[in-house]
Amino acid sequence: MRILPEPGAARILTVATLIQTIGRGVWLTVSALFLTRSVGLSIAQVGFGLTLIALISLVASAPTGYLADRYGPRGIQITALIASGMCIAALTMVRSFPSFLAFAVCSAMADAALRGSRGAIIAGSVPPDQRVRTRAYLRSTTNLGIAVGALLAGVGIAFDTRPAYLALLLFDAAARVAAGGVLTRLDPIPPVPAPKHGPRLIALRDRPFLAFTLLDGLMSMHFSILNIALPLWIAQHTAAPNWLVSVLVLVNTTMVVAFQVPVSKGTEELSGAARAARRAGLAIAAACVIFATSGFVSTPVIVALLLIAGAFVHVLGELWHAASGWGISFGLAPAHAQGQYQGAYAMGGQVGGMLAPVVITTLAVEWGVPGWLVLGALFLGIGALVPPVTRWAASA
């Protein structure tokens, strides 16, 4: 795989994504510690604020996507990145829960604008047959950037002082603004005139597309297997050492960086993308069975090998799932409404992210082996439903 895509819009987007996600990796690693240890918020207050960000971003994704269509996604994306950087910089002055909530609202709106314009900026700057490939590059780059950001954050966390946390947050803010600066090198993307008749937010009225979005969002619950279910499963139900979680994360990150682009081949068309979704459900279901099997084995080495094998199968399903979602969401969206359709598509992942902690922990951790099997059957069924729903949406 090439380290960077060919010169042009795809390369500019990749470089901007790398810069932005290095900052995001810092934020994901340090935010909870900063808010509790330096600002003095309780865990419940931090959780409430982060949930508020997720809810506002969910509701605002499609409307901000509509704005990206009407006013041009490049300008919306750059503005959102600068606003996001300013929000993070302002967080360094937060000293109370009310001021944290004010930050949460501003940050959520900027995040919604980023989500709503991301797909539209790809659709407007990259040829149709290269859109899925470009998103694959961006996803690989995102994983790499977050990993680098997490390593940088680890250096600051080692000091565990307010100046160190503030320096990390300001680094994140600067990275977001710098990413916006890189995007100014993109050619302007002309806005698309709104239809003269009918509703404006047509994505939220497109029932077949929303059905696909819901299925894709439910499928996205599998992302929580790695960072929520497996750490608890390993600690409570297996003979494997707890540090094996780090190995599984490394397997996942490495595979995504190395193989997201080649695995995405063939998903540019709706039929190929729908088949990839079915394969994703099958692979994730198989991984659930392998993880369940690890609960029956008492030999640590064999348990570790089973868990690593399951992680490989799971990430293969993850790669197919990601590629299928991009191909279908781009393929079903009208040319004049890519922004709002991509914003609506992003809502599915946000819904899945909110449901996943309860669903995944209840089934995989509390129910144990039977829960893993139920979880596998759920993903298998979701993957099987995507092709007929895609055909329905394409013919509507």
Side-chain angles (χ1 to χ4, degrees):
M1 183 189 116
R2 294 170 60 101
I3 296 176
L4 289 173
E6 296 77 7
R11 178 170 292 187
I12 293 171
L13 291 169
T14 300
V15 172
T17 298
L18 178 62
I19 295 171
Q20 176 194 350
T21 54
I22 290 175
R24 183 182 169 201
V26 170
W27 164 256
L28 292 174
T29 306
V30 78
S31 56
L33 287 172
F34 168 75
L35 291 169
T36 54
R37 297 175 69 84
S38 183
V39 178
L41 301 181
S42 69
I43 294 175
Q45 289 173 327
V46 172
F48 179 84
L50 297 180
T51 301
L52 180 65
I53 291 175
L55 288 173
I56 295 175
S57 182
L58 170 66
V59 173
S61 287
T64 54
Y66 174 82
L67 293 177
D69 291 326
R70 299 291 79 82
Y71 297 100
R74 189 190 77 151
I76 297 294
Q77 182 83 178
I78 292 171
T79 301
L81 281 168
I82 294 173
S84 177
M86 293 174 65
C87 287
I88 297 297
L91 184 61
T92 61
M93 296 181 286
V94 166
R95 290 286 190 174
S96 65
F97 183 56
S99 59
F100 172 57
L101 291 182
F103 154 80
V105 172
C106 296
S107 180
M109 293 304 300
D111 183 65
L114 285 171
R115 292 174 185 270
S117 59
R118 183 177 297 125
I121 202 172
I122 296 170
S125 61
V126 177
D129 62 342
Q130 293 296 313
R131 290 170 182 170
V132 172
R133 179 178 175 83
T134 300
R135 289 216 69 157
Y137 265 111
L138 298 185
R139 183 160 192 262
S140 297
T141 303
T142 294
N143 277 261
L144 178 61
I146 289 176
V148 172
L151 289 174
L152 292 175
V155 177
I157 290 173
F159 289 96
D160 194 27
T161 62
R162 181 171 175 82
Y165 289 129
L166 295 180
L168 290 171
L169 290 178
L170 291 174
F171 174 87
D172 177 22
R176 297 178 192 228
V177 174
V182 171
L183 289 181
T184 61
R185 298 181 59 193
L186 276 178
D187 292 334
I189 302 170
V192 181
K196 295 182 179 179
H197 305 288
R200 294 294 184 258
L201 286 175
I202 58 173
L204 299 182
R205 295 170 177 261
D206 189 335
R207 286 180 292 179
F209 183 81
L210 292 179
F212 157 70
T213 296
L214 177 61
L215 287 175
D216 189 83
L218 293 175
M219 180 75 86
S220 73
M221 292 191 299
H222 74 81
F223 289 111
S224 291
I225 289 177
L226 182 67
N227 57 21
I228 296 178
L230 284 178
L232 297 173
W233 173 255
I234 289 171
Q236 298 178 19
H237 296 277
T238 76
N242 292 345
W243 54 260
L244 187 66
V245 173
S246 298
V247 176
L248 303 184
V249 171
L250 181 62
V251 167
N252 182 276
T253 303
T254 303
M255 291 281 286
V256 170
V257 171
F259 295 110
Q260 184 66 78
V261 174
V263 168
S264 300
K265 286 184 178 180
T267 60
E268 298 84 1
E269 302 293 332
L270 285 175
S271 57
R275 288 193 297 271
R278 186 167 54 209
R279 292 195 298 270
L282 179 61
I284 296 169
C288 288
V289 173
I290 296 173
F291 293 140
T293 304
S294 69
F296 291 114
V297 181
S298 58
T299 305
V301 173
I302 297 177
V303 174
L305 291 175
L306 283 170
L307 291 169
I308 292 171
F312 272 106
V313 177
H314 173 256
V315 75
L316 181 59
E318 177 182 329
L319 296 173
W320 276 325
H321 167 232
S324 71
W326 303 327
I328 295 171
S329 63
F330 279 129
L332 293 178
H336 69 275
Q338 281 285 352
Q340 62 172 287
Y341 268 73
Q342 295 305 315
Y345 167 64
M347 291 168 62
Q350 292 169 288
V351 170
M354 287 188 287
L355 292 176
V358 174
V359 174
I360 297 295
T361 55
T362 299
L363 292 178
V365 182
E366 294 183 15
W367 289 20
V369 170
W372 277 113
L373 301 180
V374 171
L375 200 58
L378 175 64
F379 289 123
L380 184 65
I382 293 171
L385 286 173
V386 171
V389 168
T390 302
R391 289 193 295 269
W392 173 38
S395 62

